[in-house]
Amino acid sequence: MTNVKYDENGLVPVILQDATTKQVLTLAYANEEAVKRTIDTKETWLYSRSRQELWNKGATSGNTQTVQSVQIDCDGDSLIYEVIPNGPACHTGETSCFHETLAGERAASASDMITELSALIKQRETDMPEGAYTTYLFEEGVDKICKKVGEEAAEVIIAAKNRDARELATESADLLYHLLVLLQEQKVDFKEVTGVLEERHAAKKDK
């Protein structure tokens, strides 16, 4: 890895980032051997400064990561591993090690909102709380859910034809919610949808 500039200890900082949501998961370090293994195996390999040894992320906990890309910054002295995580990145059980706010207020990204809403819908299907609209949809089943998706799609079209920006945003939110409910009912993770988009985008770039 001749382009990577390692420090006096033979290490380079590595940012682990969710390839789908773009959330920063953790900051770690790697030596030349860890970087080589990461590229060769498409698994996250790092170097533990406390134990002074290589370690394969998830080898013990089971929270493995599939590496989609290894990116290097313009100075060559730091890396980003874009990964698909199989479980939380933090030893506390949190998705990201950066789960506490020191100052200010963290702004939720669009992907954060989708992830949180999908998780809530999934939990609703498990708990089925009485009186909740999502519970009602799951109780009614796929036919009702599909009907609502169709109705909301029609409302989106009407709002667009009326050139009503606020109404279009509102109806689009309703459509997206019902689509997420349908995906959960069918046990299709939203990441599968974004995965298809990524494949199509990559195919277009290759042409």
Side-chain angles (χ1 to χ4, degrees):
M1 309 302 157
T2 56
N3 294 331
V4 182
K5 297 177 183 176
Y6 298 93
D7 64 17
E8 63 276 9
N9 298 312
L11 301 176
V12 62
V14 178
I15 297 169
L16 301 181
Q17 182 180 37
D18 190 307
T20 302
T21 67
K22 304 306 178 184
Q23 181 180 20
V24 174
L25 301 176
T26 193
L27 171 66
Y29 290 84
N31 61 7
E32 186 171 5
E33 179 61 22
V35 174
K36 183 178 185 303
R37 291 193 188 188
T38 296
I39 293 173
D40 289 344
T41 66
K42 297 188 182 338
E43 297 178 356
T44 297
W45 283 87
L46 300 163
Y47 185 85
S48 171
R49 293 177 297 170
S50 59
R51 300 192 305 271
Q52 295 190 342
E53 64 181 14
L54 289 173
W55 63 287
N56 181 204
K57 174 66 177 171
T60 302
S61 66
N63 299 323
T64 57
Q65 297 174 345
T66 302
V67 179
Q68 298 295 101
S69 69
V70 176
Q71 302 175 26
I72 186 170
D73 82 334
C74 57
D75 294 321
D77 56 5
S78 60
L79 303 175
I80 294 177
Y81 291 178
E82 281 202 329
V83 306
I84 297 178
N86 179 33
C90 185
H91 72 281
T92 64
E94 294 285 345
T95 300
S96 168
C97 290
F98 297 96
H99 57 269
E100 294 186 16
T101 301
L102 186 62
E105 185 174 348
R106 179 177 175 272
S109 66
S111 60
D112 289 336
M113 292 298 299
I114 295 295
T115 300
E116 290 177 13
L117 182 55
S118 295
L120 178 60
I121 290 171
K122 183 177 182 179
Q123 193 62 48
R124 283 284 194 270
E125 186 184 33
T126 299
D127 298 341
M128 297 293 276
E130 186 177 352
Y133 177 64
T134 308
T135 298
Y136 162 74
L137 289 175
F138 283 127
E139 286 177 340
E140 290 296 309
V142 66
D143 288 346
K144 180 65 175 181
I145 297 169
C146 287
K147 182 180 178 182
K148 290 300 298 181
V149 169
E151 290 174 354
E152 298 302 339
E155 294 292 338
V156 167
I157 293 170
I158 293 170
K161 294 288 286 183
N162 290 337
R163 300 289 181 178
D164 189 328
R166 177 59 185 173
E167 188 67 15
L168 178 58
T170 299
E171 297 300 342
S172 295
D174 289 343
L175 174 59
L176 183 55
Y177 159 75
H178 287 92
L179 179 59
L180 289 174
V181 173
L182 179 60
L183 290 173
Q184 178 58 36
E185 197 277 339
Q186 297 284 304
K187 301 301 177 285
V188 176
D189 194 292
F190 191 73
K191 288 184 178 181
E192 294 187 41
V193 179
T194 57
V196 172
L197 293 174
E198 289 171 0
E199 289 172 5
R200 292 176 179 175
H201 180 62
K204 287 183 179 180
K205 289 197 298 183
D206 291 340
K207 291 182 179 179

